[in-house]
Amino acid sequence: MISEVVLDASAKSTAGIEYGQMYHLGHYDQCMTINRDRDSGLRKGIISQYCLADVYLESYLTRTQVSRIERFNETALVHWGVCMPASCSERDVVQVVEAISGSIAVSIPKDACHREVIAEPSTLDIVYVSIIMFFVLMVVLSTLYHIQSICTRRNEKKTTMVYVLRSFSIIENIKKLAQDSKDDHGLGCINGIKAVAMFTILSGHALLFLFGGAGYNPGFYYEVSAYR
């Protein structure tokens, strides 16, 4: 059963090489979801990997460039997608592609094989998360200080320190965003036009993604829709 799925996810033949069809990719998503439980998302048993090999095929007349003068090359470089168990080495992948394609000139570029691994957080990831958490903490503390000032009904003198302590307050920033702005030139309607345009752009992109994308990968569509 697993061997049939692995073979089905791999490219098995070429078509249209002389017309520029140099990418024969197979099915990446099918390869990467082998032995994955649809409910839990966990993978059990054989773990697969997807490799994109460079295959040189002879006796094909392919145009080297688009110009008035036709120049042809008799060797075609085809990018061939193949699904293999993750335990297979690059040499094993090369041997399989050679057997499928009939070519003896097959190579695997660096980082051309992809497999699912548990990625360890890098230093940049830790720094990025630390910066985000710092700003989140500033927002929480500033908002709590503002709430405490409102509850105690203190008439604080608006010093520089008070402005700094309230600069990240959610209450303070919502007030600034919601208040009317002074318009001495009669161009207040421009703000409304900008708001409507922004809403239309965001809605259009969201609808375009929901109804116009992911048609080739229904599993991803349902996975994303579940979180909306």
Side-chain angles (χ1 to χ4, degrees):
M1 178 64 181
I2 300 300
S3 59
E4 286 83 356
V5 178
V6 169
L7 180 62
D8 186 46
S10 302
K12 291 170 282 295
S13 62
T14 59
I17 291 179
E18 293 193 354
Y19 278 80
Q21 182 65 25
M22 300 302 178
Y23 287 86
H24 301 270
L25 305 178
H27 203 294
Y28 173 84
D29 295 300
Q30 182 182 6
C31 178
M32 300 309 298
T33 55
I34 293 176
N35 282 337
R36 173 179 291 174
D37 185 74
R38 293 189 176 183
D39 296 327
S40 63
L42 300 177
R43 303 182 69 179
K44 301 178 181 179
I46 298 176
I47 299 177
S48 56
Q49 64 175 340
Y50 177 88
C51 297
L52 193 62
D54 289 343
V55 181
Y56 292 89
L57 299 177
E58 303 291 340
S59 303
Y60 284 98
L61 294 178
T62 58
R63 294 187 63 169
T64 58
Q65 61 181 359
V66 179
S67 64
R68 293 182 179 179
I69 302 176
E70 293 186 349
R71 297 184 178 91
F72 293 94
N73 192 350
E74 294 185 357
T75 302
L77 172 59
V78 177
H79 305 283
W80 199 298
V82 59
C83 184
M84 296 282 291
S87 58
C88 295
S89 63
E90 291 187 0
R91 181 57 190 165
D92 297 329
V93 177
V94 169
Q95 291 178 349
V96 170
V97 177
E98 287 177 348
I100 296 175
S101 63
S103 173
I104 59 174
V106 178
S107 62
I108 306 295
K110 184 180 179 181
D111 299 328
C113 289
H114 176 74
R115 67 188 69 177
E116 288 188 353
V117 295
I118 300 176
E120 296 292 335
S122 63
T123 304
L124 291 178
D125 294 332
I126 296 174
V127 171
Y128 175 77
V129 172
S130 300
I131 293 174
I132 296 299
M133 293 304 297
F134 171 76
F135 282 107
V136 170
L137 181 62
M138 291 291 293
V139 170
V140 172
L141 294 178
S142 182
T143 304
L144 290 176
Y145 173 79
H146 197 167
I147 293 174
Q148 191 266 344
S149 300
I150 295 174
C151 293
T152 56
R153 299 182 181 277
R154 291 187 302 177
N155 294 323
E156 295 179 314
K157 186 178 180 180
K158 295 299 181 67
T159 61
T160 303
M161 181 57 65
V162 173
Y163 283 115
V164 171
L165 292 175
R166 290 187 179 184
S167 59
F168 288 92
S169 171
I170 296 177
I171 300 173
E172 187 74 17
N173 285 279
I174 289 178
K175 286 182 179 179
K176 292 180 179 179
L177 291 173
Q179 69 182 2
D180 294 333
S181 59
K182 295 181 180 180
D183 183 13
D184 298 331
H185 303 285
L187 299 176
C189 61
I190 300 297
N191 295 328
I193 294 174
K194 290 192 295 184
V196 172
M198 183 60 66
F199 176 78
T200 305
I201 292 171
L202 294 176
S203 301
H205 281 82
L207 292 174
L208 182 65
F209 178 78
L210 287 176
F211 298 104
Y216 195 58
N217 188 357
F220 176 75
Y221 172 77
Y222 291 123
E223 181 180 348
V224 173
S225 300
Y227 293 100
R228 290 185 178 273

